[in-house]
Amino acid sequence: MKKINFFEKFPSALSLFNAIYCDIDAPLYDYKQYCPHLELLFSYHNIDSIALINKLVGLSLDAQWDADGIGDLSRGMRKYVKSHTCGVVNVLKNKSEIESFSFWHFIFDGPHPSNSREDFNLIYTKVFAQNVFQANLLREAYFSLIESEKQH
């Protein structure tokens, strides 16, 4: 399958991602299946980065961490943001506050978000330098996760 076809066919919503990769009856429910697909998704250098970031935002809407595929997707998105912060912020500043908050929330969601403090600090510093509003949403999303972690 050509890269462009794969990119176009890759899910743009978490419910579709789950149906393909994460549900027990999913056709590609296997680490050996979804990991190469996630690696391929994040390796798109010929695809318009805005299209990829829009796809990632779509995947993060109302998303919550879960083990395996969703966790790998979340970590992959966080890694992508660390190296493509400018592009991500440029796309997010044109999204709604709910979409932006959902994105920031999802990339740090997990059983122990406090373990991602170093990533948070790095990303927050980069985002703050570009857009204070997005940095505030990022901070709010991250610390809401930290608060939830403390309560469990």
Side-chain angles (χ1 to χ4, degrees):
M1 182 182 294
K2 293 181 181 179
K3 272 189 167 186
I4 191 81
N5 287 337
F6 171 80
F7 179 77
E8 290 170 356
K9 293 179 188 306
F10 194 87
S12 294
L14 198 63
S15 59
L16 295 173
F17 181 85
N18 276 331
I20 295 169
Y21 296 105
C22 301
D23 294 340
I24 196 73
D25 296 326
L28 298 176
Y29 179 73
D30 182 354
Y31 184 80
K32 293 176 186 169
Q33 295 291 332
Y34 68 75
C35 276
H37 286 189
L38 288 176
E39 289 173 14
L40 186 59
L41 177 69
F42 291 114
S43 70
Y44 273 93
H45 300 292
N46 329 6
I47 300 296
D48 179 6
S49 63
I50 293 172
L52 176 56
I53 295 164
N54 279 319
K55 187 172 288 271
L56 299 178
V57 171
L59 284 162
S60 72
L61 287 179
D62 298 322
Q64 292 185 336
W65 179 89
D66 199 353
D68 302 327
I70 294 174
D72 288 339
L73 174 64
S74 175
R75 284 185 298 278
M77 288 170 67
R78 186 168 62 237
K79 182 179 177 183
Y80 182 84
V81 170
K82 287 187 335 190
S83 59
H84 297 85
T85 310
C86 184
V88 170
V89 170
N90 283 334
V91 169
L92 287 177
K93 68 184 182 184
N94 294 312
K95 300 290 184 185
S96 72
E97 186 173 334
I98 292 169
E99 290 171 306
S100 294
F101 181 89
S102 188
F103 178 82
W104 295 125
H105 188 274
F106 181 62
I107 69 168
F108 286 102
D109 200 1
H112 305 288
S114 59
N115 291 345
S116 302
R117 185 60 184 246
E118 189 175 314
D119 283 350
F120 167 76
N121 289 336
L122 173 69
I123 293 170
Y124 178 80
T125 300
K126 289 180 169 187
V127 172
F128 187 84
Q130 294 180 301
N131 187 292
V132 174
F133 181 75
Q134 287 299 320
N136 288 336
L137 287 176
L138 166 57
R139 186 180 62 226
E140 181 182 345
Y142 180 75
F143 284 107
S144 73
L145 292 165
I146 296 299
E147 192 59 37
S148 292
E149 179 183 13
K150 287 178 185 177
Q151 294 174 5
H152 289 101

